[in-house]
Amino acid sequence: MDCQNILFSQNQSQKRIEKVLRVMPMRVLTKLLFFALYVLGARLNTISSIVDMPLESGKTTISRVMKDGFPAFHDRRKSVYELPLTDKQNYQASVSIRENCCTIKFGNTGCQLQIPQNHRVHLRSVLLSLLQADLLSVQTVSSALGISKAHCRELSLKLIQNGISQVLIDKRKGQKQDFRVDSSTKAELIKHFAARAVTGHSTSSQALAQIINSGREVCISSRTIRWHMNKMGLTKIKKSLPELFETLKKTL
């Protein structure tokens, strides 16, 4: 199967991904894409960069699929998109997740609490507190948070011992220096970003990562590319670059 001459549309891809995410978690979709590109003959390093999935995780996915077949794509951590989340035991609260919002209902009182899923610290603190009060089961809380039951119990215990600021707030500062993205790589990133922006081509981090990684032994992930694009302010000038280009052409 030769896919070399297939044209891909970034806009169509984004629309289709958004539709797919309504019926399956991003984690499952990423596994499917990784395995499909592997079957089509792409290099593992390239696939890892395109789908933004760690190389070792991708290798694990391939191994499991080759061993277990299609069920290996299933997220064993219980996807937060499973609706509704219920318990076999008679707990006093229940959880359901719809449209990126977690809704907690308290029995038959008619009272409920809604927390956006992207408010991670707020959501974790509330659900773990309800778990500690025995109002929710560890199965429900772990499913809603997208973590294993063992990790859920561990977070609950740490929360009791150390408090929210020590357990739930991410204090990682990231790398102090750009080890992989040196000045020459940044120059190459700016060059390709500007060229693609003024010619109407995709300037997504995935597309730029694929270009920059071409011929490299060590691949730079699309996530790293995206971080440097934002740090250098490239995304803020994307729309103005074509206009500036046309204006300068008229002065020649």
Side-chain angles (χ1 to χ4, degrees), residues 25-38:
M26 186 64 190
R27 185 178 179 84
V28 175
L29 175 59
T30 301
K31 289 181 179 180
L32 285 167
L33 291 174
F34 197 105
F35 186 76
L37 291 172
Y38 162 76

Side-chain angles (χ1 to χ4, degrees), residues 192-209:
H192 287 294
F193 179 90
R196 295 178 72 85
V198 299
T199 54
H201 288 77
S202 170
T203 57
S204 69
S205 57
Q206 291 88 347
L208 290 167

Side-chain angles (χ1 to χ4, degrees), residues 103-134:
T103 301
I104 306 167
K105 296 182 180 180
F106 299 90
N108 298 321
T109 63
C111 298
Q112 65 179 32
L113 177 63
Q114 291 187 329
I115 305 173
Q117 279 189 276
N118 58 355
H119 294 183
R120 294 185 60 191
V121 175
H122 185 191
L123 182 60
R124 285 192 170 200
S125 62
V126 170
L127 290 178
L128 290 172
S129 295
L130 292 175
L131 170 62
Q132 294 165 8
D134 205 25

Side-chain angles (χ1 to χ4, degrees), residues 49-97:
S49 175
I50 292 174
V51 304
D52 203 10
M53 182 179 186
L55 181 59
E56 291 304 316
S57 297
K59 290 180 179 179
T60 300
T61 295
I62 293 171
S63 176
R64 287 178 177 172
V65 173
M66 297 302 290
K67 179 182 178 181
D68 302 329
F70 193 79
F73 289 113
H74 176 64
D75 190 344
R76 301 181 183 184
R77 300 180 309 169
K78 293 283 186 179
S79 166
V80 296
Y81 286 78
E82 292 179 3
L83 303 173
L85 300 172
T86 57
D87 297 302
K88 294 182 180 179
Q89 300 181 25
N90 186 25
Y91 287 89
Q92 298 180 35
S94 61
V95 175
S96 62
I97 297 176

Side-chain angles (χ1 to χ4, degrees), residues 5-27:
N5 298 321
I6 296 179
L7 296 177
F8 293 91
S9 168
Q10 184 69 23
N11 291 333
Q12 286 295 332
S13 173
Q14 189 62 38
K15 292 178 182 178
R16 292 170 185 174
I17 288 175
E18 290 175 357
K19 288 182 180 180
V20 172
L21 291 181
R22 296 173 187 171
V23 296
M24 72 170 62
M26 186 64 190
R27 185 178 179 84

Side-chain angles (χ1 to χ4, degrees), residues 226-238:
R226 183 165 56 250
W227 186 85
H228 283 281
M229 287 167 59
N230 291 328
K231 183 180 180 182
M232 292 187 291
L234 296 181
T235 55
K236 295 180 180 180
I237 62 173
K238 176 183 176 181

